Amino acid sequence: MKTTIRLACIALFALSFQAASQSNMVFIKGGSYTPLYGRDSMQVAIEDFYMDTYPVTNEAYVAFIQAYPEWKRSRVIKLFADGNYLRKWATDKTLGTEQSATAAITGISWFAANAYCECQGKRLPSIDEWEYVAMANESLPDARFTENYNAYILSWYEKPHTSNNDVGSTFKNYWGVYDLHGLVWEWTSDFNSVLISGESRKDVDNDANLFCGKAAIGANDLMNYAAFMRYAIRSSLKARYTMNNLGFRCVKNAND
Amino acid sequence: MKILNTTGAIALFATSLLLTSCGNDNAQSKVDASTIKVTGTMEAELTSPPFVPAPVGDRDAKKLIVNMEILEEEGTMADGVTYVYWTFGGTVPGSFIRTRVGDEVEFTLSNHPENKLPHNIDLHAVTGPGGGAASSFVAPGHSKTFSFKTLNPGLYVYHCATAPVGMHIANGMYGLILVEPKGGLPKVDKEYYIMQGDFYTKGENGEPGLQTFDMKKAVDEDADYVVFNGKVGALTGDNAITANVGETVRLYVGNGGPNLTSSFHVIGEIFDNVHVEGGDLINKNVQTTSIPAGGAAIVEFKVDVPGTFIIVDHAIFRAFNKGALGMLKVKGSEKANLYSGVIQEGIYNPEGSTLQSMPGEEVVETKTQNKTLAESIASGKLIYTNTCFACHQANGEGIASAFPPLAESDYLNADLERSINIVLHGKTGKITVNGKKYNSVMTKQTLTNEEVADVLTYVYNSWGNNKTHVKVSDVINANSGH
Amino acid sequence: MACEGEKTYDDTGACPVCHMDLLTTASLTPELSEIGHSESSIFNLTSQWHTEEGEKILLEELKGQTLVMVMIYTTCKAACPRLVADMRRIEELVAKEGSDDVRYVLISIDPETDNPERLKAFAIENSMNGPQWTFLQGTIHSVRELANVLAVKYKQISPMDFSHSNIISVFNAEGILVHQQEGLGVDNEVIVQQIIKTSST
């Protein structure tokens, strides 16, 4: 059943804009790195993949809804989205008057983001993939230890209302990807692998009863507050949640 | 006869002492606050600083509904300087919550949908995990409700406890919750809410424009602004707090930190009463009181003469160079016999201090045990922690009706070979240990013979068991005999 | 509506009193989803699973019984033995009360290792071989999706080791989540009562 739906999606989409959006991906060469939350100095290996250059836009999502009406605000089921799904839109099919068509889509749940990527033959990035690309600045693939990199991100956290800025309004990073920082938070496929309880004093002294497996909670570089925030946001989310400051982009395996 | 008389006198004396102390105890009989019954529901009145809600007076303990909203918004720190504050209720400090001991507080924390970050709340008045933080972690656009009963009277701090905690507090996420005793605090004429905080900005003190938080300075405890109620001038000029000559004033003073302790002082006034650290202990005739970061105090005094009284953190550079300065303006007729003249301000030169250190003490431990046994036990302890601890628990106490104890276990001590085989092959079915029945499943453990020997040696040498030293050969024999 | 209660309008736009957007009534009435299940039902997930008997099933084939679900993996050393013991204890207490229309479902978060053979061996080893016990193997994707519905968090930290939250979830016969118990060694009395209550309606 799933394959039929997927074929239907692709068929309907292909005519409209799929070709255009496929070309808006960049190639990311795989490698390995140590993420913030990992086992001591455990390196994570990333395979080659393609990533969307920009987060999915409002207008792209409008097209998605027209092709796949299950995801209209009036029809989406409670299992897959909470009450704030597309809350800012004026109607099922049109954006709010204050929203820009080329701003990132927000107010969508993980299930919705997942379905959108699947419809395009893509998928959501894993946390490891997302962080791997996001640790770059304009010129370096790994800029995490440069002062400006962290300062830029931390200052974004304090800047209100960036969610209505157009995609592409922040910097282009080493890989050619825009807006991983400075625009909106983004869904990942395994956001629910962040095992912080939310009570962060307790996370230091981890409670083996709530989460078994002790090594998963250590943070490598406690000064990396910028990344800390992203993990905190991920751990506060549930898959059906939607947020005004949370969007997504898709990725595709390179070796398929 | 003489001896009897002295003994009698002593006995009389002792009894009289007992009787008087009994009398004192009756005056303060202790009620277990967890048993206080609530009658009815009411919605809490939350106020913005420097004002506080109406006193609880005589009311019964109630179910108290508190709705608190979190807002991240830009505000003014000083002239020409702005800062993005993270707030409870739109203010720094956050809204004042006033409760009575025994209230059942139903607390709903809402995170405004335009906010970027998740938050939660830890109220120092809560008896419960994290002070409520574990139950209130909430993403933007969502809300969470939890409830707690106020068990202890006092003045308590609340703050956000989401990682990184220091940053959330440093951006202004703190406030005060008052738990009044039965009957309420004694009545006074004026009550105000003041909370000190230190702020760390990228630019230096006074640098204009939107300032962002500076993590390095915060870690170094190098504050740019130390202020009352969230900004420079929150309590000066037109914003000063006021009173009339002859009135009694009570200040609920908190310190959100994140780092600095306050040396709270009102220039030209002496605190008649200080509820030290916000608790039951009352100190009298105090000039300056210490309020720790994450702590509070209640100070009370009567204003006898008119004038402007400067409220400061007496770590004085903070008052005059970083903003820890407020004003209490008192109106009324002069009382020349009490005071005549002009308020004087003095600058204090801090004197150098010499550091003293105690000579180090060294404790030399001598190991006299048999090395091999000790090594086995040490290694066995590690294995136990990784493999057995989850079910049999840290001290071998097991879990009632589910997993049998290993501590002082008759079943364990009776038969070494059986114990080895259980570790190697698992066990199901009914057994009786120390008189209690168990009918559970223990899966076989994938351990090497040496690991089995070590972990069993650890178990046998702990918690009152029979101190067998289990060798690898024992394990091999037990296994082959199967 | 926030201001005018149940009042409805014929045109789209905004409420004349409070200026909030009007929503279509369709979005307010509880509806069945496209495939005929209630909106919040877990049976709306259309992924395919293998049981320990090697059968292929869809989740909706479990409809009609109270379901008690937990996520584990067979090579787990620390929490899963406890979770498994909790499940057995709950099953025992529920069966004692006479509620037998309950199915206990254990889902592996390590679908690459835990195939039907391994799940069957695990079931036997842990005395969970009766008809009331079902073990499920999915795919990496379907397991992540189901975990998201159950709000279970997990992360692979080494080839044989996962870190995961410990939650037991109870679903009614329509597949709607009615109760969750978090943590180990928690008093099982509350969840047992919930299961009995759910299976008697």
Side-chain angles (χ1 to χ4, degrees), chain A residues 82 84 88 154-156 158-159 161-162 185 198-201 214 225 228-229 232-233 235-236 241-245, chain B residues 84 113-118 120 122 130 133-134 137 139-142 159 161-165 167 171 212-213 215:
Chain A
D82 69 13
N84 284 336
K88 287 193 164 168
L154 282 174
S155 73
W156 168 52
E158 313 216 307
K159 220 186 292 178
H161 307 308
T162 52
W185 304 111
E199 218 293 70
S200 60
R201 283 80 50 88
K214 298 164 197 176
Y225 290 100
F228 239 75
M229 304 291 220
I233 262 279
S235 74
S236 74
Y241 278 13
T242 65
M243 252 174 65
N244 287 344
N245 278 307
Chain B
V84 176
E114 290 299 322
N115 291 344
K116 275 221 182 75
L117 298 162
N120 60 10
D122 167 6
F137 188 49
H142 293 84
H159 62 86
T162 303
V165 186
M167 184 173 181
N171 279 341
T212 53
F213 170 71
M215 178 60 81

Side-chain angles (χ1 to χ4, degrees), chain B residues 47 49-52 93-96 175-176 191-195 229 252:
Chain B
T47 57
F51 302 108
V52 297
S95 313
F96 194 95
L176 288 180
E191 292 182 311
Y192 290 105
Y193 171 26
I194 300 179
M195 199 154 185
N229 292 5
Y252 297 99

Side-chain angles (χ1 to χ4, degrees), chain C residues 32-78:
Chain C
L32 296 183
S33 66
E34 307 291 314
I35 49 180
H37 297 293
S38 147
E39 269 213 70
S40 314
S41 168
I42 197 182
F43 301 133
N44 284 308
L45 296 177
T46 51
S47 42
Q48 209 178 54
W49 303 78
H50 289 102
T51 68
E52 79 283 4
E53 309 296 338
E55 289 169 352
K56 282 196 210 155
I57 64 163
L58 297 176
L59 283 179
E60 64 181 0
E61 291 172 48
L62 300 172
K63 190 172 184 172
Q65 285 184 303
T66 302
L67 299 173
V68 182
M69 278 197 190
V70 74
M71 299 188 89
I72 50 127
Y73 62 107
T74 61
T75 52
C76 173
K77 293 270 179 318

Side-chain angles (χ1 to χ4, degrees), chain A residues 38 73 82 102 107 145 152 166 171-172 175 184 190 209 218 227 247:
Chain A
R73 181 173 68 191
D82 69 13
T102 45
F145 298 102
Y152 175 84
D166 284 347
F171 69 93
K172 177 176 178 177
W175 302 100
V184 290
D190 58 346
N209 268 348

Side-chain angles (χ1 to χ4, degrees), chain B residues 147-449:
Chain B
S147 84
F148 62 94
K149 195 174 178 73
T150 48
L151 298 176
N152 300 60
L155 180 62
Y156 299 96
V157 169
Y158 66 77
H159 62 86
C160 178
T162 303
V165 186
M167 184 173 181
H168 284 249
I169 296 178
N171 279 341
M173 298 196 81
Y174 43 78
L176 288 180
I177 172 170
L178 173 67
V179 181
E180 292 198 66
K182 177 176 169 189
L185 289 168
K187 200 172 166 334
V188 294
D189 296 307
K190 292 273 191 317
E191 292 182 311
Y192 290 105
Y193 171 26
I194 300 179
M195 199 154 185
Q196 183 172 324
D198 19 297
F199 286 87
Y200 303 83
T201 55
K202 274 277 168 333
E204 296 305 305
N205 179 307
E207 199 173 299
L210 175 63
Q211 293 296 321
T212 53
F213 170 71
D214 188 327
M215 178 60 81
K216 183 168 190 312
K217 283 189 189 172
V219 173
D220 292 341
E221 304 192 17
D222 173 18
D224 295 291
Y225 296 91
V226 183
V227 292
F228 295 120
N229 292 5
K231 60 187 204 172
V232 175
L235 295 174
T236 61
D238 289 335
N239 299 323
I241 56 176
T242 60
N244 298 310
V245 168
E247 286 186 326
T248 46
V249 178
R250 176 183 291 138
L251 302 178
Y252 297 99
V253 191
N255 185 356
N259 291 320
L260 306 176
T261 296
S262 176
S263 308
F264 189 74
H265 175 86
V266 177
I267 302 180
E269 269 297 339
I270 297 163
F271 303 136
D272 298 325
N273 294 323
V274 174
H275 297 239
V276 176
E277 295 170 350
D280 283 352
L281 181 66
I282 300 192
N283 201 0
K284 293 187 175 306
N285 301 324
V286 174
Q287 63 195 290
T288 302
T289 188
S290 254
I291 310 181
I298 306 178
V299 306
E300 294 160 0
F301 50 96
K302 181 152 172 258
V303 288
D304 298 299
V305 296
T308 301
F309 297 83
I310 311 288
I311 304 167
V312 296
D313 176 343
H314 216 295
I316 214 65
F317 276 97
R318 301 176 193 171
F320 299 118
N321 298 69
K322 294 189 179 179
L325 192 146
M327 292 176 183
L328 165 64
K329 292 191 174 160
V330 180
K331 281 217 272 278
S333 46
E334 304 269 351
K335 296 246 171 55
N337 63 325
L338 292 183
Y339 185 82
S340 65
V342 177
I343 293 170
Q344 239 172 342
E345 287 178 3
I347 306 291
Y348 298 83
N349 270 324
E351 290 179 286
S353 58
T354 51
L355 293 173
Q356 291 182 326
S357 52
M358 298 295 289
E361 278 184 359
E362 280 183 29
V363 177
V364 179
E365 286 183 0
T366 49
K367 284 205 171 94
T368 51
Q369 291 159 314
N370 179 334
K371 267 200 149 184
T372 328
L373 177 64
E375 275 182 334
S376 189
I377 290 175
S379 158
K381 185 169 177 183
L382 275 174
I383 298 168
Y384 184 88
T385 312
N386 283 335
T387 310
C388 323
F389 149 88
C391 301
H392 290 290
Q393 299 297 292
N395 292 313
E397 66 265 35
I399 299 192
S401 306
F403 306 115
L406 300 172
E408 281 188 276
S409 161
D410 55 9
Y411 187 87
L412 177 85
N413 289 310
D415 187 342
L416 171 64
E417 193 175 313
R418 179 176 62 187
S419 303
I420 295 174
N421 278 314
I422 289 178
V423 175
L424 287 172
H425 305 291
K427 176 114 189 104
T428 55
K430 297 195 176 82
I431 63 171
T432 305
V433 180
N434 293 351
K436 294 219 168 63
K437 291 203 186 22
Y438 296 87
N439 183 0
S440 192
V441 172
M442 170 164 157
T443 51
K444 66 178 190 234
Q445 304 302 311
T446 43
L447 299 170
T448 65
N449 286 337

Side-chain angles (χ1 to χ4, degrees), chain A residues 213-228:
Chain A
K214 298 164 197 176
I217 307 184
N220 270 322
D221 182 1
L222 283 174
M223 291 298 286
N224 204 341
Y225 290 100
F228 239 75

Side-chain angles (χ1 to χ4, degrees), chain A residues 129-149:
Chain A
E129 284 170 335
W130 195 96
E131 294 280 324
Y132 177 72
V133 183
M135 66 187 188
N137 65 5
E138 288 96 327
S139 47
L140 295 169
D142 185 354
R144 287 177 294 174
F145 298 102
T146 63
E147 206 188 298
N148 289 341
Y149 169 85

